[in-house]
Amino acid sequence: MAGYEAGIALTNAILHFPRKADYSRIGWCTYTDPEVASIGFNEKRAREEGLDYHVWEEAFAENDRALAEGETPGKIKILFEFRRENPGLSDHRRPCR
């Protein structure tokens, strides 16, 4: 991340080519118990952008690996866009139909 931001700063300072950092596809994590993390659009932003998307959710209590590790609090939520183009939703797989 620091290298990306340094490239933006260098381009702006030396070449006077105005660029801004794009943080829309950068993931983040809050180290709590359970952890909170995100990559890409959330539902609010997907609605604001007018995207046609589908939500898939699974509670960790229903997930075999989470059960085996005894880590059942929490859930996973993935947004799938129905179009082939990828605007940066939470998952980059083929669209659901």
Side-chain angles (χ1 to χ4, degrees), residues 47-69:
R47 274 192 305 276
E48 289 172 354
E49 296 287 326
L51 300 175
D52 187 17
Y53 66 94
H54 173 74
V55 178
W56 176 79
E57 284 187 56
E58 181 176 306
F60 290 157
E62 299 169 3
N63 181 279
D64 292 341
R65 180 169 180 167
L67 289 169
E69 293 182 4

Side-chain angles (χ1 to χ4, degrees), residues 12-70:
N12 289 336
I14 305 287
L15 302 176
H16 304 290
F17 182 72
R19 289 178 54 199
K20 291 184 179 180
D22 178 10
Y23 296 105
S24 65
R25 296 182 187 204
I26 305 298
W28 61 266
C29 179
T30 302
Y31 293 99
T32 59
D33 190 14
E35 294 175 342
V36 179
S38 178
I39 299 173
F41 287 9
N42 60 24
E43 284 189 84
K44 180 181 177 187
R45 181 145 180 230
R47 274 192 305 276
E48 289 172 354
E49 296 287 326
L51 300 175
D52 187 17
Y53 66 94
H54 173 74
V55 178
W56 176 79
E57 284 187 56
E58 181 176 306
F60 290 157
E62 299 169 3
N63 181 279
D64 292 341
R65 180 169 180 167
L67 289 169
E69 293 182 4

Side-chain angles (χ1 to χ4, degrees), residues 64-78:
D64 292 341
R65 180 169 180 167
L67 289 169
E69 293 182 4
E71 296 287 338
T72 57
K75 67 179 177 181
I76 185 168
K77 184 184 222 179
I78 300 175

